[in-house]
Amino acid sequence: MSLDAVIVDDEVAGRKAVRDRCCVYPDIRVLAECDCGADAIEVIRAKRPHVAFLDVQMKPLTGIDVAVQLSAEDTPVIVFVTAFDQYAVRAFELNAVDYLLKP
């Protein structure tokens, strides 16, 4: 069984870093990449991935906003990927399975 993923980051380098890590594992299939929260919500609802890698600091919608706006049935497993540790508590309140800090 493959694990379908969506990568959401407003920076090309951030998306590439996550994609490169995913590509190491043949069972992970990246379905889409988004550079803003609004697109992420649409893509997640349409493609129904198993996991979403969400950057926290994006504008106008943050990764936190994306997670909040998804219904329970639309919400995949969420991994926040960010350079900011101050959002970790909120991320885990939203049932994130992991919170990865960028270098």
Side-chain angles (χ1 to χ4, degrees):
M1 179 182 125
S2 66
L3 185 68
D4 294 335
V6 170
I7 300 168
V8 183
D9 196 315
D10 59 345
E11 296 180 8
V12 174
R15 291 191 307 274
K16 181 182 180 322
V18 175
R19 182 180 352 99
D20 289 350
R21 299 297 188 287
C22 288
C23 288
V24 171
Y25 302 94
D27 291 341
I28 298 178
R29 180 174 61 163
V30 177
L31 297 177
E33 296 181 25
C34 304
D35 63 1
C36 70
D39 288 348
I41 292 168
E42 286 183 32
V43 167
I44 289 168
R45 286 179 178 155
K47 296 200 179 267
R48 320 263 315 153
H50 298 108
V51 62
F53 295 94
L54 301 177
D55 182 21
V56 172
Q57 287 222 323
M58 299 181 294
K59 292 187 180 183
L61 294 177
T62 68
I64 300 283
D65 295 332
V66 170
V68 167
Q69 290 188 31
L70 291 169
S71 69
E73 68 182 30
D74 289 331
T75 302
V77 169
I78 294 177
V79 176
F80 286 101
V81 183
T82 184
F84 304 94
D85 62 357
Q86 67 262 35
Y87 302 105
V89 171
R90 181 65 179 131
F92 287 114
E93 289 173 350
L94 294 169
N95 297 316
V97 296
D98 209 345
Y99 191 88
L100 304 175
L101 287 175
K102 297 176 188 178

